[in-house]
Amino acid sequence: MANHWNRILLLGSLIFPLCYITVNGNITQNCTHFQTYSWRNILQRMDLKVQFMLLTRRNPSCAQPISDSNDIQNSNFNGSLPTKLIMHGYRVTGSKPSWVDTLAKELLGAMDVNVVIVDWIIGSTALYHNAVRNSIELGLKIAILIGNLMSHGSTEDSFHLIGISLGAHVAGFVGRMFKGKLGQITGLDPAGPEFSKASVHQRLDPGDAVFVEAIHSDSDKFGISRPVAHIDFYLNDGKDQPKCSQHLLSSGLLERGGLSADVLPKEVKVYLMTSSQPPFCVKHFLLEIFYEQLGFHEQRIKIKFQSHSNASYLHLTIPKKQSNESTIRRVIPYDASFGNVNDVTIQLSSSWRRKRYPIHIEKLRIRELPLNDSERPPRCIYNIVLYREIIFEQLSNCL
């Protein structure tokens, strides 16, 4: 009899890791991990391999596979909750994207949602051209998954696709297959190579979802510079980020609310700045330059903003005489240690190959943001004529 029970216990110990179990109503199983890429994949010319990994508040650190309807049925997926799909982009070395876990954790901490991580490491590594080609097939597979999730209770408007780099355009491709009815797409630094001159049908576009936003953080290198969404956010002018050698990610992704599809703007550019240290928040002031006299070609000026202990610089292009513009507005960031701007130095920095023309600035005004801050009244400099010399002026309260 003892041998009989020993055999049952042994059999149970062998079967247990392979079976699904229910604990407190939660379905658990062996955790799914990112695929491991090998350079043999290039030599073997392996086809695109994709796996979909589900994280919820019931399993926030142990991903469940949901490749088909049977997997979905036996997972913690809840069709009554919103679903966030995270899609990484091109991978040079085949390593796991280090930011995915952090983003998934932040999403689950902020709201009760299904988080689906799209792992296409095998098809996104090594040759960029091949990754672009594979992205089309990837989009088809994601569309099939969304269809399966909808058969388990999800609705089109409950989906939020989050794609970085090449993954952003994959999100757009998926959205087009659903005729723009998916709830939201967030493009994190959408890829530039092979997409900068592509048509709206070949890249991320405002028509790909009810609400499309894009965050540009590397548009001078590998990211796209043109607007591709209803609202495009350009962090620090959309170019190199302070003390950041990789893509800057925002865990505080915008949520759709108070917005209607028939009143959404298209291709609106929004510029915001960050500091180089967490939490990356900075203060801002609005610089306004009202000018009268201009030259016969564009000229560049360099402005130095000086506080008691720090200095900040800004390069501006002054339009030519034929321009209809009469005002330049720029938002300038500064951290708390910068202090108040006391004086301004302006220098004409046009090329020596071109003749310099006098620039008459009627008024230069600096206003702290928000503009209704009564403790920091606007300050101005009036009647500046800039030619060859460097102009140094102290700010005073505006008249």
Side-chain angles (χ1 to χ4, degrees), residues 112-158:
D112 191 7
V113 294
N114 307 295
V115 175
V116 178
I117 299 172
V118 180
D119 169 16
W120 63 299
I121 286 289
I122 301 298
S124 66
T125 299
L127 302 178
Y128 180 76
H129 176 75
N130 289 346
V132 173
R133 182 189 60 194
N134 289 336
S135 67
I136 299 175
E137 183 181 352
L138 173 65
L140 292 171
K141 291 182 179 294
I142 294 174
I144 293 173
L145 172 71
I146 291 177
N148 286 335
L149 296 178
M150 289 176 63
S151 68
H152 286 79
S154 294
T155 58
E156 289 179 323
D157 63 356
S158 69

Side-chain angles (χ1 to χ4, degrees), residues 61-95:
S61 58
C62 180
Q64 299 172 335
I66 53 168
S67 297
D68 53 41
S69 294
N70 186 58
D71 287 341
I72 298 171
Q73 184 67 37
N74 292 288
S75 73
N76 287 328
F77 179 79
N78 185 344
S80 65
L81 296 176
T83 299
K84 312 280 185 179
L85 282 88
I86 301 175
M87 291 158 286
H88 64 81
Y90 171 62
R91 307 297 299 170
V92 178
T93 62
S95 60

Side-chain angles (χ1 to χ4, degrees), residues 21-33:
I21 63 172
T22 302
V23 181
N24 296 327
N26 297 341
I27 300 174
T28 62
Q29 66 182 96
N30 288 340
C31 301
T32 301
H33 303 282

Side-chain angles (χ1 to χ4, degrees), residues 284-353:
H284 302 81
F285 64 81
L286 175 64
L287 169 69
E288 298 173 290
I289 299 177
F290 305 86
Y291 47 82
E292 290 186 347
Q293 182 178 342
L294 298 173
F296 289 95
H297 57 71
E298 292 182 345
Q299 301 184 91
R300 290 185 58 81
I301 63 173
K302 178 181 178 181
I303 304 179
K304 177 183 177 182
F305 304 95
Q306 184 71 49
S307 69
H308 289 297
S309 58
N310 295 294
S312 179
Y313 298 87
L314 176 68
H315 294 269
L316 288 177
T317 299
I318 304 297
K320 56 187 177 181
K321 192 172 185 178
Q322 290 80 3
S323 173
N324 293 324
E325 299 178 4
S326 60
T327 307
I328 293 179
R329 291 182 173 89
R330 293 290 186 274
V331 176
I332 312 298
Y334 66 97
D335 56 35
S337 64
F338 188 83
N340 295 329
V341 178
N342 298 315
D343 50 61
V344 175
T345 302
I346 309 175
Q347 180 180 3
L348 190 63
S349 57
S350 300
S351 170
W352 61 269
R353 294 186 180 91

Side-chain angles (χ1 to χ4, degrees), residues 175-176 180-185 205-212 230 264:
R176 283 193 295 279
K181 295 181 179 180
L182 297 183
Q184 182 176 356
I185 291 177
D205 176 76
D208 295 335
V210 175
F211 178 56
V212 181
H230 291 106
L264 282 175

Side-chain angles (χ1 to χ4, degrees), residues 285-286 288 290 341 363-382 395-399:
F285 64 81
L286 175 64
E288 298 173 290
F290 305 86
V341 178
K363 178 171 65 174
L364 182 150
R365 180 169 64 189
I366 290 179
R367 294 192 285 173
E368 300 284 342
L369 298 178
L371 296 179
N372 59 356
D373 189 349
S374 58
E375 297 181 359
R376 296 174 181 267
R379 288 173 293 164
C380 294
I381 302 173
Y382 295 94
L395 290 161
S396 59
N397 290 342
C398 296
L399 300 176

